[in-house]
Amino acid sequence: MKQCIIKIGMASCGRAAGAEEIYKSAEDHINKHNLDCRLMKTACIGMCFAEPLIEFIMSDMPDITYGRVTSEEISGLIDSYLAGKPQEEKVIISRESTSNFDIQGQENDSLKKQTRIVLRNCGIIDPESIEDYINRQGYMALQKALKEMDPEKVVQEILASRLRGRGGAGFPTGLKWEIAANSRIGEKKYIVCNADEGDPGAFMDRSVLEGDPHSVIEGMLIGAFAIGADEGYIYVRAEYPLAIKHLKKAINDAYERNLLGKNILNSSFSFDLHIKEGAGAFVCGEETALIASIEGKRGMPNIRPPYPAESGLFGQPTNINNVETFANIAWIILNGSEAFNKLGTERSKGTKVFALAGKIKKSGLIEVPMGVPLRHVIYDIGGGMKENSPFKAVQLGGPSGGCIPASKLDTIVDYDSINQTGAIMGSGGMVVMDEKTCVVDVAKFFLTFTQNESCGKCTFCRIGTRRMLEILTRITEGKGKIEDIKKLEDLAEMINKGSLCGLGQTAPNPVLTTLKYFREEYEEHIIDKKCRAGVCNALINYSVLADKCVGCTACARVCPVQCISGEVKKPHFIHQNQCIRCGACFNACKFEAIVKK
Amino acid sequence: MNTKPEIDKLIEKYKAKKGVLIPLLQDVQSIEGYLSRENMKYIAEKMGIREAEIFGVATFYSMFRLKPLGKHIIRVCKGTACHVSGANNISTAIRNVLDLKDDEDQTADGFFTFIEVACLGCCSLAPVIMIDDKTYGKLTSEKVSQIVKSYYK
């Protein structure tokens, strides 16, 4: 009898959608009927919108994945697959159709449009199994670097690949390694992985750490070998418990197989790796602040130079790269810089992972070659808008980035092209907004975030962001003055020039880009006291349409301030001066008799 | 509760290593759910670190709490995706149910602690909250009020 492998996506997103119950139901069913199935946990394949996901693999059968599975239908899905009659209409991904089957998964096309280097193993392997990783060419790049190359050659290969840092700024990784390798030769050096992914709306680093932790460890090992480091740290957000759990297991397994520790793979290279959990401070994503935090201090940035490559962690030369950057390394060493160079544009090589979220139909994680237009990412892969409301803007690069309007949707994914719009590539968070999103409110949202996360060291960042936030709050409350726009622009320039680190320098970006592309909305808020998206509470009014109101009293019952009056079966009335504009009545009305203006 | 023996054990574990203040404070916090003034003072004496430095680190990072936690913790995601999907209304609805005023973050009976947090990473389920370890997604003001009320039963 042939064995069936059943994989369930158990990353954070899958668990939130109920994957644990699915796993339990599947396990019960298999045990109860003594079925020859091997149940496996895998991580995130990126299709968060279709979670929970379950995949079936068996010889002579097509490899298929079902989406949006419920625990009630699990037993039926298992039985029908084992009987050779998969439920075709529910299949979202199918691979290797055999002659007897021709199942087209609903999402096959979307996957085909992607190129997966960083996410090569995510959602495919069991992240807690080092064997799974090794079976997919895992640690072969490390072996190649140690046995066939020397540190100099590794640095040259990464230089030639023209890989740029995926944390946001896009500094050439090879150059960073070369500087670190040539710094204070013979002294103790450190290599650090920056996994302090704090951008609201970005979750690609978490998915890689949860789904393929060994690829990051292998990248770090190769980097350490190249620069001459013998100790490393992964600085990871404590808000990512599953990523930390998988990393700990991966590090232990790697030690057991002599892939970490003394004389790795019988070479003269030794390397120790530790995990450092963050304690919740966004600014620690900045490299000098991150170093201070690993040293146990308040995570405040320091003036550069000296750069970490010269004097970093505990005063020693230190090289810091982002999770996604490290996840590219093994692939480049194994396949060569030329293969990597074939992907992308003149100045941005390889691929980029994006986290799609907001008002997009297929939210999740995708990976595309550099150079594709944003329109392709949002419409062809992301499936376009979720509701029928038209596209308004896409926010790229989180609180340091900016809003790109519909007119710029043909901008290609490339560090320099995106910079030209006023946004930045950033770590790859892509939040799609529709006409029901107010850009002034979004700018206020990001500024609230940066203002809150400013460490307080630089006056302009500490006080300037607060002043900007006060002005924005005023505008969204209908108390803005027309000269406020000029004040915002002046403050933005000063904060940019007067801040030490990227957090402050880029904090005004969301305001500047929305002013650039949606200035008229700011003016509407200020002059006409109007929020066209209907988001800013102080600028909207709820009223009852007397001809549609049936007098069901639903609105009056939910109103928290009892400002709705009216008799049963007669039209109701909202007293505007008492209304707090919470929208409870609007949501409660089943007859569309309450309008928001 | 006398937590000193447990803290002594932790200090023993970390003493010889470098850059250990943050993990030490994290472990001490996990004993009682927060860092008491007394415990911070005790660590300062034992580790030979100035009390001000410990207090400085504890107030810098958002994970450290200087007040005891409630029985249940509600975490409202304030990530971008949740924000554009109406997280503010979710917060308002919860705060209404819990009857929290202005900057209060705990109910008078200590049953709930209310925290707004950075992205929980379940953007496709936005808006999202977590109560203790359980995640609730695709919420509306009405749904979330019912969920919170159900904990009182």
Side-chain angles (χ1 to χ4, degrees), chain A residues 283-458:
Chain A
V283 69
C284 290
E286 198 278 341
E287 55 182 20
T288 58
L290 188 149
I291 287 170
S293 182
I294 295 182
E295 291 173 350
K297 303 177 194 149
R298 287 164 73 95
M300 288 163 122
N302 283 309
I303 293 177
R304 297 178 297 183
Y307 284 90
E310 207 182 306
S311 172
L313 189 56
F314 305 113
Q316 298 306 118
T318 303
N319 178 73
I320 303 174
N321 292 119
N322 157 274
V323 170
E324 193 183 330
T325 312
F326 279 126
N328 271 296
I329 300 295
W331 192 95
I332 294 172
I333 294 295
L334 217 51
N335 297 278
S337 53
E338 263 176 52
F340 191 77
N341 255 308
K342 279 190 192 134
L343 297 162
T345 61
E346 182 53 34
R347 301 200 40 196
S348 303
K349 297 294 184 193
T351 60
K352 181 76 195 89
V353 180
F354 287 103
L356 302 182
K359 307 286 178 74
I360 194 165
K361 206 174 268 168
K362 298 176 186 172
S363 51
L365 218 58
I366 60 124
E367 182 172 355
V368 287
M370 299 273 192
V372 300
L374 290 174
R375 187 183 299 282
H376 175 75
V377 174
I378 292 167
Y379 285 91
D380 296 345
I381 299 174
M385 305 304 289
K386 192 160 41 178
E387 293 155 25
N388 279 332
S389 187
F391 175 90
K392 182 174 195 173
V394 56
Q395 162 77 24
L396 258 184
S400 306
C403 281
I404 299 177
S407 60
K408 299 269 175 194
L409 264 188
D410 288 311
T411 306
I412 57 168
V413 172
D414 162 291
Y415 288 94
D416 311 287
S417 309
I418 289 178
N419 284 348
Q420 274 170 20
T421 65
I424 60 163
M425 180 88 90
S427 53
M430 211 185 250
V431 181
V432 175
M433 305 173 207
D434 62 7
E435 298 282 337
K436 289 185 209 150
T437 317
C438 169
V439 288
V440 186
D441 174 70
V442 167
K444 189 178 91 178
F445 165 76
F446 281 115
L447 219 66
T448 310
F449 181 83
T450 36
Q451 198 275 317
N452 209 358
E453 294 293 342
S454 168
C455 77
K457 184 166 185 161
C458 307

Side-chain angles (χ1 to χ4, degrees), chain A residues 59-248:
Chain A
S59 57
D60 300 328
M61 280 288 283
D63 169 354
I64 57 170
T65 303
Y66 295 113
R68 298 182 190 90
V69 177
T70 60
S71 36
E72 292 82 52
E73 59 186 6
I74 271 295
S75 45
L77 290 175
I78 296 175
D79 293 341
S80 60
Y81 188 82
L82 292 178
K85 290 175 191 137
Q87 300 179 19
E88 292 188 29
E89 69 289 350
K90 284 188 186 153
V91 174
I92 65 160
I93 312 167
S94 60
R95 295 185 197 86
E96 302 154 35
S97 287
T98 56
S99 52
N100 299 327
F101 292 93
D102 182 27
I103 301 176
Q104 277 307 312
Q106 297 154 19
E107 300 302 331
N108 279 10
D109 269 356
S110 163
L111 265 187
K112 243 181 251 160
K113 285 171 191 154
Q114 303 185 36
T115 305
R116 295 194 163 211
I117 293 178
V118 173
L119 303 179
R120 59 192 182 272
N121 294 323
C122 285
I124 293 168
I125 62 168
D126 174 355
E128 294 188 81
S129 156
I130 191 169
E131 289 84 11
D132 265 24
Y133 181 70
I134 289 171
N135 284 340
R136 288 178 59 94
Q137 299 190 310
Y139 290 108
M140 273 174 65
L142 175 68
Q143 199 157 358
K144 183 175 171 185
L146 294 179
K147 301 276 153 79
E148 296 166 32
M149 300 166 87
D150 56 30
E152 168 75 24
K153 260 195 189 151
V154 174
V155 171
Q156 289 309 320
E157 190 71 18
I158 300 301
L159 264 175
S161 75
R162 296 164 70 192
L163 171 68
R164 293 170 69 171
R166 298 294 194 241
F171 190 82
T173 307
L175 195 55
K176 214 174 191 178
W177 286 17
E178 192 174 41
I179 297 167
N182 292 331
S183 170
R184 293 161 66 183
I185 293 166
E187 289 190 47
K188 180 169 183 76
K189 293 180 191 178
Y190 291 99
I191 194 159
V192 175
C193 174
N194 183 348
D196 190 42
E197 180 176 61
D199 283 20
F203 50 92
M204 53 294 256
D205 292 351
R206 189 202 75 214
S207 291
V208 172
L209 293 173
E210 283 180 2
D212 194 15
H214 286 285
S215 73
V216 179
I217 296 173
E218 188 176 6
M220 287 186 80
L221 275 160
I222 294 168
F225 175 68
I227 68 162
D230 67 351
E231 199 171 352
Y233 287 90
I234 301 180
Y235 187 90
V236 57
R237 275 182 88 190
E239 290 91 335
Y240 287 174
L242 192 64
I244 293 169
K245 181 177 165 229
H246 288 179
L247 268 175
K248 281 187 177 157

Side-chain angles (χ1 to χ4, degrees), chain A residues 5 58 93 100 114 151 216 223 236 282 295 317 369 371 465-466 514 577 581 596:
Chain A
I5 297 173
M58 193 164 75
I93 312 167
N100 299 327
Q114 303 185 36
V216 179
V236 57
F282 175 68
E295 291 173 350
T465 53
R466 177 162 282 259
T514 46
N577 51 353
R581 296 164 182 104
K596 181 160 86 169

Side-chain angles (χ1 to χ4, degrees), chain A residues 480 482 522-530:
Chain A
I482 196 70
Y522 279 83
E523 290 166 354
E524 272 173 22
H525 279 76
I526 295 170
I527 302 166
D528 309 328
K529 314 286 176 211
K530 215 181 114 195

